[in-house]
Amino acid sequence: MNLNRHRISREEGVAAVEFALILPVLALMLFGVLEFGRVWSQYQVFQGAAREGARCAAVASTSECAVQDEIDQAAAPYEPAGNATIQVLGGGGGPNGCTNSDRGKDVQVSWDQPFQLNIPFWSNASVTATVKAVFRCE
């Protein structure tokens, strides 16, 4: 009788089994957080590049900068998905940004950028976000 009770109450290896059951969930959460942080960092780099492009477009009437070149340079080491759209809000504007007659209007630089989420143990996903920045024409 004493032998059966001792055999039933043993809990050797229970912690290892519980860890094996919870490990995939913990790994999924860890890699998901890391991948989200990587994609968020990439998005922030593109936002900064859009601001540089919008600044260039805002001073286009008084400077010699090229908007797309500024965006590409500021986005390094990443590459934007395509050429940015430059739009002077309220009409007017040239293909490279503001003109002398656009002072005080807003210029917007934007493009659609796909982001790849590659999480182990999960299917890969692609999210497309519009990267955009607005400056006032000078």
Side-chain angles (χ1 to χ4, degrees):
M1 180 84 167
N2 194 12
L3 181 63
N4 284 340
R5 190 172 353 151
H6 179 67
R7 184 174 287 177
I8 293 172
S9 67
R10 290 184 354 188
E11 295 184 11
E12 297 170 2
V14 171
V17 170
E18 289 173 350
F19 181 71
L21 290 173
I22 200 71
L23 180 64
V25 174
L26 289 175
L28 184 65
M29 287 174 43
L30 173 68
F31 290 123
V33 166
L34 291 175
E35 187 66 11
F36 178 79
R38 183 192 67 80
V39 169
W40 184 258
S41 174
Q42 189 177 9
Y43 176 73
Q44 291 299 316
V45 168
F46 284 127
Q47 280 295 117
R51 283 191 297 273
E52 284 297 318
R55 184 203 57 79
C56 177
V59 297
S61 63
T62 60
S63 73
E64 294 293 324
C65 68
V67 176
Q68 192 61 47
D69 291 342
E70 292 290 323
I71 291 171
D72 292 341
Q73 186 177 10
Y78 305 115
E79 289 187 28
N83 289 334
T85 302
I86 304 165
Q87 178 182 10
V88 175
L89 305 175
N96 293 325
C98 299
T99 61
N100 286 331
S101 62
D102 294 327
R103 291 179 195 247
K105 294 180 183 175
D106 289 338
V107 62
Q108 175 178 297
V109 173
S110 64
W111 72 91
D112 290 333
Q113 180 69 39
F115 296 97
Q116 299 295 324
L117 289 164
N118 302 319
I119 302 173
F121 314 114
W122 200 265
S123 63
N124 295 339
S126 178
V127 177
T128 302
T130 300
V131 178
K132 158 174 82 168
V134 178
F135 265 62
R136 186 158 317 266
C137 294
E138 296 179 10

